Structures are given as C-alpha cells and as structure tokens.
Amino acid sequence: QVQLVESGGGLVQTGGSLRLSCTASGRPWSSYTVGWFRQAPGKEREFVATRRWTGGINYSDSVKGRFTISIDSAKNTVVFLQLNSLKPEDTAVYYCAATESTFYTEKSQTYDTWGQGTQVTVSS
C-alpha cells in the first residue's frame, strides 16, 4: 500500500507561486494515477489536477493555465504541483491522492489513498 506525504505549502501574496510536492513510499508514480484536490474552510473538497499513469493530464477550469502537475523524472516517487499566479480563492488545504484506476479521475471517490494535506494561504 502506497503512503503519501505532501509538502511545500505556505503563505504567499496574490500573484505569487508555490510548488507542492507529494512523495510516495512503496511504489513509483508510474504505477499510479495521482490526483490533487483542495478543500477550503466550509467548502467541499474539489478537484484540482490529475495525471493518469497512462500519461493523460487534466485540470479544473479554475486552475487551468496557472497550475502544472508533473513527475520528478529522476526519482519517479515525487509528484509536483506548481502553483503560479495565485489568487486568494486558491487558499485551501491541498491533498494528493493515488489510485490504480484511469477512469473518473476527477472524482475524489476514485482515490483510495490520501496524504495528510498541506495548507496554502494566499493573501490579498
């Protein structure tokens, strides 16, 4: 069973950037689909980005063009989520998740392994 640990969150001003990392123990990311989700206070968890192990990538409309998901090609156990042009509405706890499925990868129910989350706060 893979275990996930996120890092890289923090406080940043509007327009700033952060790079989140999700490290998997146990198996390389080439064996899994990874998803990033976020949850703001009082709101439901929402989809941010996904990279299927077959190579396909999708983003939510709210982050498309600003966020980028990628895999560390050297280690293959670290997935990055680059956050650029951050807005106050991006403030949330960000979670990475893993699944062996390549279907419905924008749905949180598809994922069976989750990290503990990392806080991203964007000040106005």
Side-chain angles (χ1 to χ4, degrees):
Q1 180 82 12
V2 66
Q3 293 181 324
L4 308 177
V5 177
E6 302 100 331
S7 61
L11 173 64
V12 64
Q13 292 184 333
T14 296
S17 297
L18 286 172
R19 190 175 76 166
L20 307 184
S21 299
C22 179
T23 301
S25 63
R27 287 173 64 178
W29 277 116
S30 56
S31 302
Y32 286 94
T33 290
V34 59
W36 283 96
F37 293 79
R38 66 186 181 186
Q39 188 166 18
K43 295 187 176 181
E44 293 186 354
R45 189 170 297 187
E46 66 172 355
F47 166 73
V48 175
T50 183
R51 184 191 184 281
R52 291 175 288 281
W53 62 263
T54 50
I57 292 175
N58 291 100
Y59 299 96
S60 68
D61 288 342
S62 62
V63 308
K64 196 173 296 182
R66 300 188 297 121
F67 292 8
T68 304
I69 189 171
S70 63
I71 286 183
D72 185 330
S73 57
K75 295 182 180 180
N76 204 20
T77 56
V78 182
V79 170
F80 299 116
L81 186 67
Q82 179 68 39
L83 286 58
N84 295 330
S85 303
L86 282 162
K87 306 175 182 179
E89 51 264 43
D90 294 319
T91 295
V93 177
Y94 284 69
Y95 299 89
C96 68
T99 178
E100 293 184 354
S101 175
T102 57
F103 299 99
Y104 306 108
T105 55
E106 299 182 14
K107 304 291 185 183
S108 60
Q109 300 93 320
T110 300
Y111 297 83
D112 45 33
T113 303
W114 292 80
Q116 83 288 351
T118 186
Q119 177 71 47
V120 171
T121 303
V122 185
S123 63
S124 57

